[in-house]
Amino acid sequence: MISENNICIAVIGLGYVGLPLAVEFGKKYKTIGFDLSQVRIDELTEGLDRTNEVEQDELASASLLDCTTDASVLKDCSFFIVTVPTPVDDDKKPNLNALHSSSTTVGQSLSIGDYVVYESTVYPGVTEDICVPILERESGLSLNTDFFVGYSPERINPGDKQHRLPTIKKVTSGSTPVAADFIDALYASIITAGTYKAASIRVAEAAKVIENTQRDVNIALINELAMLFNKLDINTIDVLEAAGTKWNFLPFRPGLVGGHCIGVDPYYLTHKAQEVGFDPKIILSGREINDGMGTYVVEQVISLMQSKNIQTQNACVLIMGFTFKENCPDVRNTRVIDMVDAFKHKDISADIYEPWGDSAEIEAEYSISPISEPSKNSYDAIIMAVAHDEFKAMSLETIQSFGKSECIIYDIKNILPASMIDGSL
């Protein structure tokens, strides 16, 4: 039985995944939240979570949580959870640098009897084949003799206030049956929705990547259908709503596919597939379609501008929204940047209006300075890129006022009435 008095949990990485986890554990167990950013720790100490995943009063309720950049205090912990980012590089290959670094840090703090659980998205085999050797090297200890590992895939949905960590069923796994039971029981003590103990660590790793790969492929199908229906002069949403009256039709919608999960996880799976000599045709085809949607939208907008005799060279476009999804400050892997780059190649400038994302973060990551407010009568085209509530609350007249007398309005997210726009997916 797990005692609240004899366990200390360390959560490595206090981002969108790690902070909610640290807060939930910190309500019940002594918990150390570790992050490399002193700015992040200082903000959390003041009760501020810039990801908007945890409110100030909820942070305060985690009375047993201490956040720090001091790795030396991790030696007091016996249960380590790694929640660091696992993005892809410019060549769409897995970037495991943060996972390597965090494994080194944890390994240097391991003692006999300790547990290490990874939540970061990986391909099957990473926990045991890549992370465990680092843990063993740094600690001088042996897996399943001196310490144990597990994998429990994160299912955080940034910006979603309905599906929260405790209310999302948690998949768990462990390196031995006893370890799997212990890890499952510890998570079950904070997850009200319950847990599911996977057959092995590799099964849990694979389950994580296919959850989002499945969504990616389905969205790619709808994006391809949207391109077809545009050629047929048929409204895509009208078609989807009609088809959606069938009980088993899946309610996917066209759009830009970015973020830290759907736009990344398939590349982890395809990397492993190609490593073992398997050619994943459907997955890569879906990725190709979704990665090309930003360029497709730009081509559509330019074509519409030309149909209205709007000069495209040196034109100026307003893109409303930059984060990867609505009502969320997360700009990781946003595919709106693809539109900005595509317009630039056509000698068209693009202003970004983003009420949720942090301007300094956007500038540091993408070398773009968002505008504070769109100017009136300034734009040759307006693109509704992200369905923020602020944009939904705007009247059509307000949005139209940002454009010149001749202006294209293209609505990726179908925020506006179809009769009031020039184009959409």
Side-chain angles (χ1 to χ4, degrees), residues 52-100:
N52 289 340
E53 290 301 303
V54 180
E55 300 296 335
Q56 187 172 13
D57 59 346
E58 193 175 9
L59 265 174
S61 71
S63 58
L64 299 177
L65 170 63
D66 290 316
C67 298
T68 183
T69 58
D70 182 5
S72 67
V73 303
L74 299 178
K75 292 183 179 295
D76 296 330
C77 298
S78 56
F79 196 98
F80 299 82
I81 305 175
V82 178
T83 63
V84 296
T86 45
V88 291
D89 61 21
D90 292 339
D91 296 320
K92 307 300 185 183
K93 299 297 182 184
N95 179 350
L96 300 177
N97 290 341
L99 207 61
H100 292 165

Side-chain angles (χ1 to χ4, degrees), residues 19 63 164 173 226 273 286 381 393:
L19 182 63
S63 58
R164 311 294 292 162
S173 63

Side-chain angles (χ1 to χ4, degrees), residues 206-225:
K208 168 58 181 176
V209 286
I210 73 162
E211 287 175 12
N212 288 313
T213 298
Q214 181 188 65
R215 293 190 65 199
D216 190 48
V217 170
N218 275 285
I219 297 171
L221 170 62
I222 302 302
N223 276 335
E224 187 169 60
L225 290 173

Side-chain angles (χ1 to χ4, degrees), residues 272-343:
K272 186 62 177 180
Q274 292 166 337
E275 191 175 78
V276 298
F278 181 80
D279 184 18
K281 294 183 177 62
I282 291 178
I283 301 172
L284 286 176
S285 177
R287 277 282 80 225
E288 182 180 0
I289 291 171
N290 287 340
D291 276 348
M293 290 309 293
T295 299
Y296 173 78
V297 169
V298 167
E299 291 170 350
Q300 290 289 296
V301 170
I302 290 175
S303 177
L304 288 167
M305 291 170 67
Q306 292 171 338
S307 71
K308 281 193 171 184
N309 296 317
I310 298 174
Q311 179 67 37
T312 58
Q313 189 170 14
N314 298 319
C316 188
V317 172
L318 174 65
I319 299 179
M320 298 185 66
F322 190 78
T323 60
F324 92 91
K325 64 179 294 188
E326 66 277 3
N327 304 327
C328 172
D330 195 349
V331 296
R332 291 175 297 173
N333 194 39
T334 175
R335 295 334 313 160
V336 178
I337 188 62
D338 298 338
M339 292 193 295
V340 176
D341 292 340
F343 277 126

Side-chain angles (χ1 to χ4, degrees), residues 91 104 183 301 349 371 380 392 395 418:
D91 296 320
T104 297
I183 291 167
V301 170
S349 61
I371 60 174
D380 301 286
K392 291 180 178 180
S395 67

